[in-house]
Amino acid sequence: MNQIPLEHILALGAILFCLGLLAVFSKRHAVVVLMGVELIFNAANLNLIAFSRYDPEISEGQLFALFVMVVAAAEAAVALAIILRVYQLFKTSNVDELNTLKG
């Protein structure tokens, strides 16, 4: 059975990470920023699983990836709740227009 080389998986993880950073820093819509953060988490998970797969003595990568998925799910739930509340108060989800903490 042919395995995909580790360098290819790491390159894919780097591409996902860069796309996530691009979405976080260039977009103004809060949901797109949140999707960029999720892409960054998925890139980190991909690297953790790849290193765990290519070194059979290390199984902690899979456990760390599971922990990252749990944290990402909780972060997404809290962030979506905040985005909905901000939209109710300010009638916008554009992060550039949110310059006050008062509701």
Side-chain angles (χ1 to χ4, degrees):
M1 181 172 142
N2 274 337
Q3 286 188 349
I4 300 172
L6 181 62
E7 294 83 16
H8 292 205
I9 298 173
L10 295 180
L12 178 63
I15 291 169
L16 282 176
F17 188 83
C18 290
L19 288 174
L21 280 180
L22 181 69
V24 168
F25 289 131
S26 68
K27 298 300 179 186
R28 294 188 173 124
H29 197 275
V31 176
V32 177
V33 171
L34 179 61
M35 289 185 338
V37 171
E38 293 296 327
L39 271 176
I40 292 171
F41 280 148
N42 286 329
N45 275 344
L46 184 63
N47 288 337
L48 287 170
I49 296 295
F51 284 127
S52 178
R53 173 78 171 109
Y54 282 92
D55 190 1
E57 294 178 6
I58 300 175
S59 63
E60 289 88 15
Q62 294 174 0
L63 294 174
F64 284 135
L66 182 64
F67 179 71
V68 169
M69 284 189 281
V70 169
V71 169
E75 175 260 338
V78 170
L80 284 174
I82 291 171
I83 290 169
L84 286 174
R85 185 66 181 150
V86 165
Y87 185 77
Q88 285 177 348
L89 292 175
F90 297 104
K91 301 296 185 224
T92 184
S93 60
N94 189 349
V95 292
D96 288 343
E97 296 175 13
L98 305 175
N99 58 5
T100 182
L101 293 177
K102 290 192 269 184

